[in-house]
Amino acid sequence: MKLILLGAPGAGKGTQAEKICDKYGIPAISTGNIIRAALKNGTEMGLKAKSYMEAGQLVPDEVVIGIIKDRLVESDCENGFILDGFPRTIPQAEALESMGVAIDKVVDIEVPDEKITARMSGRRVCAKCGASYHLLYKLPKTAGICDACGGELVQRKDDAPETVQARLAEYHEMTEPLKDFYAKLGKLKIVHGQEEVADTTKLVFAALED
Ligand code: ADP
Ligand code: ZN
């Protein structure tokens, strides 16, 4: 199964991608995580992406398209994958098509902007391994400490309130048109994000089995 998760930043794509990964045994591919790892390792691609990412802007299409091209040829993608955070622009979606990738379904997780802003302030990530947490929805076992590796939990620079506004504006302008793009191809499934993660997961699974 080849899937795309669409939705505003902070709509919960990453969390749902993990649930789909566990249930269907296909890898969840997050361009955001790949870029953050490159940034941390100081690679050339990381350096290119840094200023955009920290300002809450989209990284240029050719950079992310390159990332995805390299990732999808890896052997764990043979039976499918879940794309979390890609495509985010029409040219990125067109690039997927021209790579010959046959997407089965696109699940769009809808969450109103006001809720997004409130949620983002509670997001934390592990400074060491990148695992994500939330002060309300996904607490670590010990406050401030990563369950997976014991690293320190910090707020992402781009989760600062001013930056969140910029990211939401960019989402509406550049990414939201993808709903139409995939609706026209008959692939779009809309899920309304719920208060409880597990309730959203039920709706996501229902959309995938529909
Ligand atoms: P979120 O978890 O809020 O959805 P991500 O972790 O997916 O955010 O992405 C964080 C940042 O990484 C984006 O704001 C953008 O700068 C960059 N990025 C990730 N994926 C893409 C993409 N497909 N196109 C352009 N920029 C991207
Ligand atoms: Zn960690």
Side-chain angles (χ1 to χ4, degrees):
M1 195 159 41
K2 295 178 179 159
L3 307 173
I4 291 172
L5 285 180
L6 265 186
K13 297 187 296 292
T15 310
Q16 297 305 328
E18 278 173 29
K19 310 280 181 200
I20 300 172
C21 169
D22 291 344
K23 178 163 179 189
Y24 292 91
I26 49 178
I29 300 172
S30 154
T31 39
N33 286 348
I34 295 173
I35 299 168
R36 277 187 289 277
L39 226 148
K40 212 173 131 208
N41 297 327
T43 67
E44 200 189 323
M45 188 263 283
L47 290 175
K48 266 193 225 163
K50 187 175 163 64
S51 57
Y52 298 98
M53 198 169 185
E54 288 182 349
Q57 289 164 357
L58 293 180
V59 171
D61 286 336
E62 66 271 17
V63 177
V64 277
I65 291 168
I67 292 174
I68 285 294
K69 271 197 180 140
D70 290 347
R71 183 63 186 87
L72 296 187
V73 295
E74 284 182 36
S75 58
D76 63 336
C77 293
E78 266 166 25
N79 298 320
F81 47 77
I82 313 141
L83 296 179
D84 158 22
F86 185 96
R88 260 180 158 96
T89 65
I90 297 278
Q92 291 177 20
E94 287 168 348
L96 261 188
E97 303 259 294
S98 59
M99 282 179 232
V101 174
I103 296 295
D104 297 297
K105 273 178 191 161
V106 177
V107 178
D108 170 45
I109 305 176
E110 289 280 329
V111 175
D113 284 9
E114 313 80 71
K115 283 214 173 135
I116 301 262
T117 323
R119 277 189 194 183
M120 297 284 247
S121 61
R123 262 205 331 194
R124 294 295 180 272
V125 290
C126 172
K128 219 159 128 193
C129 78
S132 50
Y133 296 87
H134 196 285
L135 300 183
L136 295 176
Y137 306 106
K138 197 183 170 195
L139 277 166
K141 292 198 180 79
T142 313
I145 304 290
C146 176
D147 293 347
C149 80
E152 186 197 354
L153 301 186
V154 297
Q155 187 170 43
R156 266 165 50 180
K157 265 192 189 156
D158 59 345
D159 278 350
E162 324 75 78
T163 317
V164 169
Q165 289 315 313
R167 291 165 70 196
L168 278 174
E170 186 125 71
Y171 165 75
H172 290 301
E173 188 191 349
M174 305 298 286
T175 308
E176 230 174 356
L178 290 176
K179 286 195 237 168
D180 232 32
F181 182 96
Y182 287 112
K184 284 191 181 124
L185 297 172
K187 294 180 179 170
L188 188 72
K189 302 272 170 195
I190 293 180
V191 162
H192 291 278
Q194 305 293 306
E195 283 304 320
E196 297 289 332
V197 171
D199 292 335
T200 308
T201 305
K202 274 186 209 147
L203 297 176
V204 169
F205 287 166
L208 294 181
E209 265 134 45
D210 183 31

